[in-house]
């Protein structure tokens, strides 16, 4: 029974550190790595716009037999 306590304590410690260092700051909307970089925000906005444009341009084929022929080997 004593061999179970060390792994259990290590698991609890890891969960507590994860909550304290990662989840708690993000829940308060102040993550330690969050910086307000206007250049990064502009790049993200441009990438989202391009993704939206690409999604609107491409349409899936309406007929499933409209695909290139494949050979079963």
């Amino acid at each position: 029974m004593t061999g179970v306590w060390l792994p259990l304590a290590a698991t609890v410690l890891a969960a507590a550190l994860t909550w304290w260092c990662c989840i708690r700051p993000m829940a308060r909307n102040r993550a330690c790595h969050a910086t307000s970089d206007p250049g990064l925000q502009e790049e993200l906005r441009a990438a989202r716009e391009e993704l939206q444009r690409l999604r609107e341009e491409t349409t899936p084929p309406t007929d499933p037999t409209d695909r290139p022929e494949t050979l079963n080997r």
Side-chain angles (χ1 to χ4, degrees):
M1 185 67 176
T2 58
V4 174
W5 290 109
L6 184 60
L8 183 62
T11 303
V12 169
L13 180 62
L17 283 173
T18 300
W19 178 81
W20 184 262
C21 295
C22 300
I23 298 170
R24 187 182 60 90
M26 285 188 286
R28 293 184 175 181
N29 210 11
R30 57 174 183 89
C32 60
H33 63 281
T35 59
S36 181
D37 184 13
L40 177 62
Q41 296 301 323
E42 179 63 28
E43 288 182 33
L44 286 172
R45 185 193 58 76
R48 287 184 187 115
E49 287 176 359
E50 182 180 4
L51 180 62
Q52 184 64 30
R53 184 181 52 81
L54 290 173
R55 284 182 176 161
E56 290 171 355
E57 285 180 2
T58 59
T59 56
T62 56
D63 186 13
T65 60
D66 227 10
R67 296 182 225 162
E69 216 174 292
T70 57
L71 300 174
N72 293 330
R73 296 183 192 195

